Amino acid sequence: MSTTVYVPRDATALALGAEAVATAIAAEAARRSLELRVVRNGSRGAFWLEPLVEVQTGNARVAYGPVRAGDVASLFDSGFLEGGKHRLGQGAVEAIPYLHKQLRLTMGRCGVIDPQSLADYQAHGGYAGLQAALAMDGAGIVKAVTDSGLRGRGGAAFPTGIKWRTVLETAAPQKYIVCNADEGDSGTFSDRLLMEGDPLCLIEGMTIAGLAVGATRGYIYLRCEYPHAHAALNAALAAARAAGFLGQSVAGSGRAFDLEVRLGAGAYICGEETSLLESLEGKRGQVRFKPPLPAIRGLFDSPTVVNNVITFASVPIVLARGAACYRDFGTGRSRGTLPVQLAGNIRRGGLVECAFGVPLRTLLEEFGGGSRTGRPVRAVQVGGPLGSYWPASKFDTPLDYEAFAQQGGMLGHGGIVVFDDTVDMAAQARYAFEFCALESCGKCTPCRIGSTRGVEVIDRLRAGDRPAQQEALLRDLCNTLTHGSLCALGGLTPLPVLSALEHFPEDFVKPKAAVAAGS
Amino acid sequence: MSARRPVTVPLRVEPGSDLPPPERSAVLEAVQACGNLPGPLLPVLHAIQDRLGWVPPRAVPLIAFELNLSRAEVHGVLSFYHYFRESKPGRHVVYLCRAEACQAVGAGALEAHAKRRLGVDFHGTTADGRYTLEPVYCLGNCACGPSVLIDKELHAGVTPARFDELVAE
Ligand SMILES: Cc1cc2nc3c(=O)[nH]c(=O)nc-3n(C[C@H](O)[C@H](O)[C@H](O)COP(=O)(O)O)c2cc1C
Ligand code: SF4
Ligand code: FES
């Protein structure tokens, strides 16, 4: 019997050399006349161990990592095909504490299955949610999603069931399901991980949404920086179509649903839902005024559900296991789980899915293991480029939308970017303005022009040029941005800027000696 | 009264007839493949750039004509999106991640090094036409930065020394 070996095809694993590892394993097996089957799975998200090679032994999958192509011969010598001992051995993969301590609901199949295999997907609970949904009417599905407490994972945390109900109740000849796979926030990769590791889960979630609201067409708006996710999605779409899970009669139900992938073109603002719809229509990605809500007049003026990848991907399990089963996890009004992403200067970076309520510190220390450089962690930015910079004094804040807001931050898409004590927080604040200037859609003056003024003010402040006046100007500018912007790009850029100023004021002061020297 | 002078009626030049053949066929094939999609402009521009490496501004009239859009609309879209190029790139495009998670692990130093090593600023192409350097804002590899994408190949943990190896290959 041939042994099965798993080598991830996830983008990060590939960037760390997984392709060469897969090739070396096949070559070494051929050289030794050993029969083995190499499955290209997704990543489990423990990126610090990638490329993480797994071997199916009698009762468990035994893991080795991080494996380089040069380690492959020695792995064979150590009998890794039987789970033999090796310096890269990590034991049974499910027992690795980083993975074992997580609560995988949405991302449970990532890294486990062959993402292109429909049979594998179904063997691991795939399409059970759709089967359940097919036995309900639209209102029943919407009720299950509402009762689960699921809120949008793209950033704004709007209750998903309420959005779906609006679309369901808006009569129209054509409705659309649109997946926001623009994942533009730095420090985030959960969408990518899911699309590469379990793309059928997203497809199933969108199909259920289509049944729920009466939409027959869907689009996945994918950022073009994700070529591997693009390939994985297209392969999964073909598999789903071939098996009759997409098309004129979804799973033989007589109800139609199909979808396609559309690529973005490197504009951060196209992650904002109305800008995304403009882009899908083939226009410049300029933000639309609301109302009308996309749920009432969205894509091509039709009622449209727009949700994030993780939001859709959380729906199948809600339908399969019941709303209560999902709602039972979490805290306060944040129900279920959040796939958190540990990024930046962190020792054990990767994806950690856990129930809401876990303190930030647990993620940074227990999972993340502190900074990669070994220096003290000075600041974290949670929630992408529009999120606040926090000092260590806030690390006891629990993962919870409301708790974060109360502390002047936001959870957003769950990205946590870690900085050690070499960071210059004034430079980070400057970058926030620079990014806003670069990505502004140009509709509002404060965002379009004010962002560039912000860069200049910070430059003068750092140069020690009349600092008190510059700081007053900076606060005034931020106030204008907060109140005079149509969307959160302009509206929230003050968050990283002012939080950096509040918690790290020393970085904005030019040393007196330097001022005197006139340098 | 003087005799009427003959007038010349300019013939309307067929859009795209002045394009180099490879560009003309790239546009026509892109339109053939994606022109019937709802909201076809972005897919068409992607298909053209996939073929040519850029979208030549002189192709705009033909794209507009084929998709029944105004030239202003096509130009507006082309110039809005950072990814679409209106100038010919080098043989390889090097995308350097400038976003926060990569900054936290040395993207700033890498950027300075890359510019020095290639002798170009962002958007510039090396004198030998081999590399074009572009900034990018996150490649989804934020746990293992600094990240660099060369053409369609992603690289993790790129130190200045590793960068030199990559561009020497
Ligand atoms: C500037 C800006 C960028 C955004 N980028 C994204 C993104 O990349 N992905 C995403 O899902 N939502 C993004 N959003 C949020 C969307 O506008 C929208 O709230 C979301 O797609 C709704 O889906 P959800 O309810 O499932 O979160 C962004 C919002 C703004 C203002
Ligand atoms: S705040 Fe900026 S990005 Fe948002 S609509 Fe206004 S100009 Fe566009
Ligand atoms: S910030 Fe560089 S890859 Fe995400």
Side-chain angles (χ1 to χ4, degrees):
Chain A
M1 204 192 80
S2 78
T3 313
T4 304
V5 176
Y6 295 83
V7 185
R9 194 183 263 136
D10 168 90
T12 288
L14 292 174
L16 291 163
E19 197 59 44
V21 171
T23 309
I25 288 177
E28 195 64 28
R31 207 172 65 78
R32 299 179 189 228
S33 311
L34 294 170
E35 246 187 79
L36 55 78
R37 188 171 75 102
V38 177
V39 171
R40 305 305 300 274
N41 55 340
S43 173
R44 294 185 189 250
F47 286 136
W48 48 286
L49 288 175
E50 293 289 358
L52 183 70
V53 173
E54 296 172 36
V55 181
Q56 180 74 58
T57 62
N59 38 23
R61 276 160 70 162
V62 179
Y64 300 85
V67 178
R68 309 279 169 236
D71 301 319
V72 167
S74 79
L75 279 171
F76 276 88
D77 292 341
S78 311
F80 87 124
L81 293 181
E82 290 81 43
K85 276 204 167 24
H86 187 274
R87 77 189 152 78
L88 297 176
Q90 301 291 337
V93 68
E94 316 255 324
I96 296 173
Y98 192 89
L99 297 171
H100 180 71
K101 285 195 241 159
Q102 299 191 27
L103 175 61
R104 291 274 173 121
L105 297 183
T106 303
M107 319 283 290
R109 277 178 297 258
C110 288
V112 176
I113 62 166
D114 174 352
Q116 303 198 359
S117 163
L118 193 79
D120 223 6
Y121 181 65
Q122 288 184 280
H124 287 80
Y127 277 123
L130 179 73
Q131 292 304 344
L134 282 170
M136 304 176 178
D137 63 357
I141 301 172
V142 170
K143 182 170 184 313
V145 172
T146 308
D147 290 348
S148 75
L150 178 64
R151 293 164 71 180
R153 301 289 188 243
F158 187 81
T160 305
I162 294 182
K163 187 183 286 186
W164 289 22
R165 188 166 60 209
T166 309
V167 179
L168 171 65
E169 288 172 355
T170 307
Q174 178 72 57
K175 300 179 186 181
Y176 294 100
I177 305 297
V178 171
C179 174
N180 188 340
D182 200 48
E183 196 161 64
D185 289 0
S186 167
T188 69
F189 43 74
S190 59
D191 295 354
R192 181 184 67 64
L193 196 88
L194 186 112
M195 291 186 286
E196 291 175 4
D198 193 14
L200 285 160
C201 181
L202 170 59
I203 294 167
E204 182 182 352
M206 292 180 70
T207 308
I208 294 170
L211 295 174
V213 304
T216 55
R217 268 223 73 74
Y219 291 94
I220 299 172
Y221 186 88
L222 176 71
R223 66 199 306 251
C224 66
E225 292 86 345
Y226 283 0
H228 300 101
H230 190 200
L233 284 170
N234 278 336
L237 284 173
R241 227 171 261 135
F245 281 106
L246 288 173
Q248 279 313 308
S249 174
V250 169
S253 65
R255 303 176 59 186
F257 187 75
D258 210 333
L259 57 88
E260 65 184 90
V261 182
R262 285 292 180 89
L263 290 182
Y268 178 73
I269 194 58
C270 288
E272 194 283 333
E273 57 183 6
T274 62
S275 165
L276 184 154
L277 296 174
E278 290 285 298
S279 185
L280 268 181
E281 292 180 6
K283 303 177 194 154
R284 294 162 69 90
Q286 280 201 310
V287 174
R288 295 178 183 170
F289 288 101
K290 284 193 251 186
L293 291 172
I296 292 168
R297 273 179 58 190
L299 186 62
F300 302 117
D301 276 338
S302 304
T304 305
V305 168
V306 184
N307 277 127
N308 172 256
V309 173
I310 301 298
T311 313
F312 281 125
S314 300
V315 166
I317 200 165
V318 166
L319 272 291
R321 295 204 194 158
C325 189
Y326 190 82
R327 191 187 52 217
D328 283 351
F329 297 104
T331 178
R333 288 176 47 221
S334 305
R335 311 309 315 174
T337 58
L338 182 70
V340 170
Q341 300 121 95
L342 297 177
N345 196 336
I346 185 115
R347 209 168 96 204
R348 293 192 292 262
L351 183 115
V352 178
E353 181 176 355
C354 54
F356 284 98
V358 173
L360 187 51
R361 187 183 303 282
T362 304
L363 293 160
L364 294 170
E365 293 172 4
E366 215 172 287
F367 285 94
S371 75
R372 197 203 288 179
T373 46
R375 303 181 66 95
V377 171
R378 181 156 182 247
V380 300
Q381 186 182 31
V382 185
L386 306 174
S388 294
Y389 282 105
W390 278 3
S393 60
K394 288 192 184 270
F395 290 177
D396 292 317
T397 311
L399 274 195
D400 168 37
Y401 293 115
E402 279 66 39
F404 262 68
Q406 215 169 46
Q407 292 290 321
M410 65 163 184
L411 258 181
H413 187 44
I416 302 179
V417 178
V418 179
F419 296 83
D420 72 10
D421 62 350
T422 60
V423 68
D424 173 351
M425 294 307 298
Q428 297 308 123
R430 184 188 194 276
Y431 172 81
F433 274 132
E434 199 191 333
F435 185 70
C436 179
L438 197 73
E439 301 296 335
S440 170
C441 84
K443 205 152 174 160
C444 332
T445 316
C447 171
R448 191 181 65 237
I449 313 276
S451 47
T452 302
R453 292 291 92 84
V455 171
E456 296 162 0
V457 172
I458 291 186
D459 283 345
R460 286 200 296 269
L461 189 56
R462 294 169 87 199
D465 174 3
R466 291 161 296 159
Q469 273 163 273
Q470 303 305 342
E471 191 182 320
L473 199 57
L474 183 66
R475 290 187 186 279
D476 190 46
L477 187 64
C478 284
N479 192 44
T480 309
L481 272 169
T482 305
H483 297 105
S485 299
L486 180 58
C487 85
L489 180 57
L492 294 183
T493 291
L495 226 52
V497 173
L498 293 180
S499 58
L501 183 62
E502 182 186 340
H503 302 299
F504 309 93
E506 61 277 19
D507 288 19
F508 291 77
V509 181
K510 186 164 181 182
K512 282 212 173 59
V515 179
S519 65
Chain B
M1 220 174 114
S2 64
R4 289 171 109 194
R5 290 223 305 264
V7 287
T8 331
V9 180
L11 276 173
R12 191 162 168 278
V13 182
E14 196 194 329
S17 59
D18 54 338
L19 278 181
E23 293 179 13
R24 193 179 141 82
S25 62
V27 172
L28 295 178
E29 279 165 36
V31 170
Q32 179 105 54
C34 319
N36 287 328
L37 297 173
L41 186 50
L42 266 78
V44 165
L45 294 177
H46 268 295
I48 295 170
Q49 184 155 318
D50 282 350
R51 264 284 286 281
L52 303 173
W54 61 310
V55 184
R58 60 189 169 217
V60 166
L62 181 61
I63 300 168
F65 176 78
E66 291 291 334
L67 296 180
N68 202 16
L69 297 167
S70 73
R71 292 174 190 200
E73 281 170 292
V74 176
H75 172 74
V77 168
L78 188 56
S79 56
F80 182 86
Y81 295 94
H82 302 302
Y83 176 76
F84 293 131
R85 306 188 54 87
E86 295 181 76
S87 61
K88 197 172 163 132
R91 287 197 292 289
H92 305 285
V93 182
V94 178
Y95 295 93
L96 218 74
C97 179
R98 282 197 74 214
E100 290 91 337
C102 285
Q103 291 166 15
V105 288
L110 179 65
E111 175 183 331
H113 173 83
K115 288 177 176 172
R116 222 178 309 120
R117 170 70 178 70
L118 297 179
V120 296
D121 207 337
F122 278 136
H123 315 300
T125 299
T126 54
D128 62 3
R130 266 188 83 166
Y131 293 109
T132 297
L133 187 64
E134 292 289 345
V136 70
Y137 296 86
C138 192
L139 293 162
N141 185 48
C142 326
C144 302
S147 311
V148 172
L149 182 75
I150 301 181
D151 300 326
K152 299 233 157 177
E153 190 124 1
L154 183 62
H155 303 274
V158 182
T159 56
R162 177 75 186 128
F163 183 85
D164 289 350
E165 282 171 23
L166 290 172
V167 295
E169 274 165 17

